[in-house]
Amino acid sequence: DIAAGGSHTCALVAGGEARCWGNGYQGQLGNGERLIERYSPVVVTGLSGAIAIDAGGGHTCALLADGRVQCWGANGSKQIGSSSFGSEFLVPTEVQNLGDAVALGSGDAHNCVRTAGGLVKCWGENESAQLGIGTIGADVAIPSEVAGLNQIVSVSAGNEASCAVRLSGEAYCWGYSGDGLLGNGEIYQTRIPVAVIGTSPRLFANGFE
């Protein structure tokens, strides 16, 4: 797996370890350093058993095979999953209260996961309601369930918005809708998921696609 963030890139290698390169000024390379750039890959300290990786604006997260998530880098919006507000984490740190993740999406300063039960949980920056938990403004360190979603098969996090796809094929988005980002015909932000216009169930002979 490989992921490009705001100004850094990370990739998984055999054995579930990772290498990162680029801007490490906020510790997003995960090698114990900050205020430095790396022009070739460096080893992420202490990471093993990872099966997926994603990169945000100034942070990085990895999904482990056992359903846990570890993040490192900037934490100004609690996107590392730690309540130590403002601190930068230079090596992988486990996200609190999360052990059933099966897919991961990192936005600029927030993250979302799909759980084994088909739910979505998000944490980090919530200035534009991109966590989908019914509130706006206060950042959240602990992964919180997105309102009204179930049977989710895919999740993605962007700059100030997040989206998910249900087993039935319907897509939902939440957060900032400038430039029509949410696809619901409106330009206003929403605190809970709204259906993307034109997405509908796609039923095939063998069930849902």
Side-chain angles (χ1 to χ4, degrees):
D1 199 15
I2 191 167
S7 56
H8 73 291
T9 304
C10 293
L12 293 186
V13 297
E17 298 180 343
R19 307 285 189 271
C20 296
W21 59 96
N23 187 330
Y25 276 47
Q26 295 176 291
Q28 61 264 54
L29 303 186
N31 66 330
E33 299 176 328
R34 62 184 295 272
L35 300 179
I36 194 170
E37 297 173 345
R38 289 290 188 175
Y39 304 114
S40 59
V42 295
V43 177
V44 176
T45 302
L47 183 68
S48 62
I51 58 174
I53 197 164
D54 208 351
H59 76 287
T60 312
C61 291
L63 171 64
L64 306 187
D66 60 7
R68 294 179 295 130
V69 172
Q70 294 184 352
C71 299
W72 56 94
N75 193 47
S77 299
K78 302 181 181 178
Q79 61 266 51
I80 303 303
S82 171
S83 56
S84 298
F85 177 77
S87 300
E88 294 170 346
F89 289 77
L90 308 185
V91 296
T93 302
E94 186 165 338
V95 176
Q96 305 174 75
N97 298 347
L98 189 62
D100 59 348
V102 294
L104 167 70
S106 293
D108 182 60
H110 77 290
N111 311 285
C112 295
V113 296
R114 176 171 65 91
T115 71
L119 303 178
V120 176
K121 295 181 180 180
C122 300
W123 68 97
E125 184 180 66
N126 199 37
E127 182 178 350
S128 299
Q130 58 263 57
L131 301 187
I133 57 176
T135 64
I136 188 171
D139 300 333
V140 177
I142 297 176
S144 302
E145 186 176 324
V146 174
L149 291 184
N150 56 42
Q151 295 186 313
I152 298 301
V153 296
S154 179
V155 66
S156 182
N159 185 13
E160 297 177 273
S162 310
C163 295
V165 177
R166 294 191 67 198
L167 178 64
S168 59
E170 297 157 312
Y172 295 85
C173 295
W174 56 96
Y176 178 68
S177 192
D179 301 318
L181 184 62
L182 301 186
N184 67 329
E186 303 287 345
I187 60 171
Y188 305 105
Q189 61 195 17
T190 174
R191 304 181 186 192
I192 59 175
V194 293
V196 176
I197 294 173
T199 63
S200 59
R202 299 168 294 175
L203 188 61
F204 287 77
N206 62 343
F208 290 111
E209 181 184 38

